[in-house]
């Protein structure tokens, strides 16, 4: 036999026996996770190992990687995480399956070890009791038991028995081989059906409970003592393709570390204000809603927004001024920071001053006339004009600790981001879209600019590197909101052109053109697009 052919045959045989054993591993893992997921949704809400593992991965992923994922995939970052987890999990499970071809017992132990790891991860989550680990334990027992059975059905009863056959050789000639394959197909089919079925069941129970909870979310918003300014028609430049001034709730960007949105009911909510204060204050939802509420238009921005990106939006927020809440507690003179904590453990460090000065920092319960959507912090969150979300906009907020920057650190600060992060002036071109062909010699270039708390005073556009020209600005609603702008250009010759934008604030800060990554305190650089005139 020629060596090349025998090598090819060996590889072929290797493949033929590796693929089914890897498949056995994947099936056992699916059985483990599917059962655990479904049981958890039925009996111990929030204890799914998938959610716990995802949470851990999010927490442990280096900030630079997270940021790259957020910058590239924006709000889809959670899907990317799930796909990555799926691929990683399938690889590991496949490896365990391949190992199990020769060592059934060891592979079952590996599944059990992975299961115990998952149990520990579930147990590490805040607020877990004994009942929360049961679903994962049950799944683990099933998965560990299923793997050797599947392998035995495909190959032959056991490698650990004293017969000296090649492992992939059926036991008693072709007839036994076929029976064994049938047994395998039956078992594998059952395992696949059970895992897909339970997983789908678990997910649908999850969505039914969520819908029910959403329907039951009957927080009645208080009438504001101070309503938001009416948005003047002049706040829009009336150009198709420019993002509307108010971002609807269902298209508002969402960024957080929560894989499963916390389900916090108003009757279970309370806020504790403590730390360096004269007196601790605790407030439940009825008490909060009875306090005077104000409505303000505020643009919220994510520090991870890349140049030209869309991780920002403007809403009309309804809330009680944080300034007044803090005044009840009486912060001590030495304090300079408030560490806010969410029900899921996320923390943000906000300069005390930004919460006590005259700006409209809110403990918000309403967003665009509705209770906060669950994804955006139901039943209460912070909104602070002029600071990036990660240092101020804690959703599902339940705790405010008055402290000092040299005493406490927040979630993202521990991961390399700046402890303080005021919003940098920035601007974006929405129209034309990059590489659009414009069929006219009267070109409209338009977009938005923002510099919350300072406010946008000027926007300038540079066409083809010919120098900055002043754009027409829409009416300013407040210094805390973004501002639309447009520039009408005539007489551009057919062919390729570029446009670059920059903004200048009321206090004279000019948007920097230096290209810089978002970490540690926001990207800088001018948004530039290219388009064709035809
Ligand atoms: N509990 C909690 N609050 C959070 C976060 C989080 O991960 N967890 N992320 C912050 C970040 S980084 C941003 S940009 C804003 C985004 O708010 P949104 O999702 O309502 O747009 O929420 C902030 N509040
Ligand atoms: Mo963010």
């Amino acid at each position: 036999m020629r060596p090349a052919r025998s090598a090819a045959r060996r590889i072929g045989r290797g493949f033929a026996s590796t693929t089914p054993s890897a498949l056995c591993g994947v099936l056992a893992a699916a059985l483990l996770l599917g059962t655990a997921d479904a049981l958890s949704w039925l009996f111990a809400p929030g204890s799914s190992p998938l959610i716990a593992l995802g949470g851990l991965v999010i927490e442990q992923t280096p900030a630079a990687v997270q940021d790259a994922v957020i910058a590239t995939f924006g709000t889809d970052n959670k899907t990317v995480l799930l796909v990555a987890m799926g691929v990683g999990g399938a690889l590991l499970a496949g490896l365990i399956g391949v190992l199990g071809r020769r060592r059934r017992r060891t592979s079952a132990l590996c599944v059990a070890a992975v299961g115990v790891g998952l149990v520990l991860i579930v147990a590490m989550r805040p607020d877990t009791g004994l009942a929360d680990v049961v679903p994962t334990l049950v799944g683990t027992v099933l998965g560990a038991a299923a793997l050797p059975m599947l392998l035995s059905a495909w190959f032959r009863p056991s490698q650990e028995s004293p017969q000296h056959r090649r492992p992939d050789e059926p036991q008693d000639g072709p007839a036994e081989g076929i029976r064994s394959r049938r047994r395998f197909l039956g078992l594998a089919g059952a395992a696949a059906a059970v895992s897909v079925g339970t997983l789908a069941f678990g997910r649908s129970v999850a969505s039914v409970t969520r819908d029910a909870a959403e329907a039951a979310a009957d927080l009645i918003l208080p009438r504001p003592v101070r309503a938001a300014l009416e948005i003047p028609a002049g706040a829009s430049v009336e150009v198709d393709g420019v993002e509307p001034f108010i971002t609807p709730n269902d298209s508002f960007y969402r960024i957080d570390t929560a894989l499963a949105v916390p389900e916090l009911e108003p009757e279970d909510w309370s806020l504790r204000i403590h730390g360096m204060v004269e007196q601790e204050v605790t407030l439940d939802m009825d008490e909060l809603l009875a306090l005077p509420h104000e409505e303000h238009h505020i643009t919220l921005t994510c520090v991870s927004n890349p140049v030209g990106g869309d991780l920002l939006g403007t809403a009309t927020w309804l809330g009680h001024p944080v300034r007044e809440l803090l005044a009840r507690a009486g912060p001590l003179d030495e304090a300079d920071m408030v560490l806010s904590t969410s029900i899921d453990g996320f923390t943000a460090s906000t300069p005390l001053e930004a919460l006590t000065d005259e700006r409209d920092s809110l403990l918000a319960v309403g967003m665009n006339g509705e209770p906060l959507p669950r994804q955006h912090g139901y039943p209460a969150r912070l909104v602070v004009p002029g600071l990036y979300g990660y240092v101020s906009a804690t959703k599902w907020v339940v705790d405010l600790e008055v402290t000092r920057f040299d005493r406490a650190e927040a979630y993202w600060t521990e991961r390399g981001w700046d402890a303080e992060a005021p919003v940098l002036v920035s601007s974006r071109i929405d129209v034309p879209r990059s590489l659009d062909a414009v069929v006219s010699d009267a070109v409209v270039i338009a977009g938005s600019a923002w510099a919350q708390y300072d406010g946008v005073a000027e926007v300038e556009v540079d066409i083809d590197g010919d120098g900055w020209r002043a754009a027409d600005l829409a009416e300013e609603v407040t210094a805390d909101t973004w501002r639309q702008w447009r520039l009408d250009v005539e007489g551009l010759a057919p062919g390729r052109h570029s446009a670059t934008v920059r903004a200048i604030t009321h206090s004279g800060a000019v948007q920097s053109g230096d290209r810089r990554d978002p970490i540690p305190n926001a990207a800088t650089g001018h948004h530039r697009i290219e388009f064709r005139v035809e």
Side-chain angles (χ1 to χ4, degrees):
M1 208 190 307
R2 289 209 307 268
R5 265 178 72 193
S6 80
R9 222 185 262 178
R10 255 201 317 270
I11 291 172
R13 250 202 325 264
F15 236 19
S17 60
T18 310
T19 311
S21 45
L23 189 69
C24 291
V26 171
L27 279 173
L31 198 60
L32 190 171
L33 291 171
T35 321
D37 192 59
L39 288 177
S40 75
W41 289 109
L42 277 182
F43 301 113
S47 68
S48 167
L50 287 175
I51 303 293
L53 181 63
L56 183 77
V57 172
I58 292 177
E59 233 181 87
Q60 297 300 320
T61 306
V65 175
Q66 285 210 13
D67 191 62
V69 173
I70 291 177
T72 317
F73 299 100
T75 316
D76 291 329
N77 66 80
K78 299 233 163 57
T79 317
V80 174
L81 169 78
L82 287 174
V83 170
M85 270 171 58
V87 172
L91 278 176
L92 176 66
L95 270 177
I96 294 179
V98 171
L99 168 85
R101 217 189 93 205
R102 285 166 196 280
R103 299 173 199 281
R104 304 274 148 84
R105 244 175 270 147
T106 318
S107 71
L109 283 177
C110 286
V111 175
V114 170
V116 169
L118 289 173
V119 166
L120 291 179
I121 292 171
V122 170
M124 266 162 40
R125 282 171 62 86
D127 287 336
T128 35
L130 212 53
D132 293 312
V133 301
V134 173
T136 309
L137 273 179
V138 173
T140 303
V141 170
L142 281 180
L147 182 55
M149 283 166 70
L150 286 164
L151 287 164
S152 298
W154 180 262
F155 298 104
R156 58 176 201 182
S158 176
Q159 272 307 295
E160 280 130 355
S161 68
Q163 303 153 9
H164 297 283
R165 285 207 183 82
R166 279 222 320 274
D168 50 343
E169 185 185 353
Q171 207 168 25
D172 290 308
E176 172 59 26
I178 287 164
R179 265 202 298 282
S180 160
R181 295 307 191 255
R182 283 217 185 109
R183 204 159 60 225
F184 172 79
L185 286 181
L187 263 175
V194 169
S195 28
V196 170
T198 49
L199 204 59
F201 180 69
R203 294 287 119 186
S204 58
V205 170
S207 73
V208 168
T209 29
R210 196 166 35 244
D211 291 350
E214 204 75 66
D218 54 356
L219 189 151
I220 314 254
L221 293 180
R223 194 185 291 276
V225 293
R226 200 178 137 195
L229 304 168
E230 198 167 324
I231 295 163
S236 164
V237 289
E238 309 286 351
V239 177
D240 263 2
V242 172
E243 284 222 8
F245 182 81
I246 291 287
T247 318
N249 288 356
D250 55 8
S251 52
F252 206 94
Y253 83 99
R254 172 191 168 199
I255 294 288
D256 55 58
T257 59
L259 198 52
V261 175
E263 280 173 17
L264 180 55
E265 304 309 323
E267 60 273 20
D268 300 327
W269 179 90
S270 71
L271 179 74
R272 179 168 167 243
I273 307 172
H274 62 109
M276 302 172 69
V277 292
E278 276 156 21
Q279 57 178 26
E280 231 181 271
V281 172
T282 308
L283 201 72
D284 67 18
M285 188 48 79
D286 288 337
E287 291 166 327
L288 172 63
L289 295 180
L291 296 173
H293 278 60
E294 298 180 0
E295 226 180 12
H296 296 281
H297 311 298
I298 299 168
T299 299
L300 186 63
T301 321
C302 182
V303 70
S304 301
N305 193 40
V307 172
D310 55 8
L311 296 179
L312 77 161
T314 303
T316 308
W317 306 94
L318 173 73
H320 180 65
V322 183
R323 181 194 327 116
E324 283 165 33
L325 273 183
L326 286 173
R328 294 163 148 231
L332 304 182
D333 285 344
E334 313 88 79
D336 63 5
M337 185 260 266
V338 172
L339 189 75
S340 52
T341 307
S342 140
I343 187 80
D344 69 348
F346 170 88
T347 52
S349 57
T350 312
L352 180 60
E353 202 195 331
L355 299 172
T356 50
D357 64 16
E358 78 297 340
R359 87 182 76 191
D360 300 313
S361 299
L362 297 177
L363 175 60
V365 292
M367 181 176 184
N368 293 329
E370 290 167 20
L372 292 173
R374 286 193 186 270
Q375 307 194 15
H376 296 291
Y378 184 80
R381 74 172 304 169
L382 293 173
V383 179
V384 179
L387 302 182
Y388 288 113
Y390 85 102
V391 288
S392 68
T394 304
K395 305 192 268 191
W396 316 288
V397 64
V398 291
D399 189 285
L400 300 181
E401 185 192 355
V402 179
T403 178
R404 296 179 50 85
F405 276 105
D406 58 16
R407 283 196 199 166
E409 240 185 1
Y411 185 93
W412 286 111
T413 314
E414 288 163 7
R415 290 162 176 77
W417 296 74
D418 281 358
E420 297 192 54
V423 169
L424 303 179
V425 53
S426 192
S427 55
R428 184 180 77 195
I429 302 172
D430 285 346
V431 176
R433 292 273 156 205
S434 205
L435 306 178
D436 265 4
V438 184
V439 208
S440 151
D441 68 343
V443 177
V444 181
I445 301 168
S448 295
W450 56 93
Q452 293 93 302
Y453 196 50
D454 190 353
V456 172
E458 288 168 67
V459 170
E460 296 178 331
V461 179
D462 178 0
I463 312 271
D464 301 329
D466 291 343
W468 295 109
R469 328 183 184 185
D472 294 323
L473 283 168
E475 211 172 301
E476 177 171 69
V477 177
T478 74
D480 298 334
T481 55
W482 56 6
R483 197 165 178 187
Q484 298 188 0
W485 56 268
R486 69 183 284 167
L487 180 69
D488 296 74
V489 193
E490 275 171 37
L492 283 183
R496 243 175 122 123
H497 298 277
S498 75
T500 308
V501 66
R502 73 173 183 185
I504 299 158
T505 71
H506 287 301
S507 71
V510 181
Q511 182 181 347
S512 161
D514 297 338
R515 282 255 165 191
R516 190 185 78 181
D517 282 342
I519 193 167
N521 65 15
T524 60
H526 296 150
H527 189 208
R528 175 176 188 275
I529 58 144
E530 294 200 345
F531 59 97
R532 286 187 61 81
V533 172
E534 292 186 338

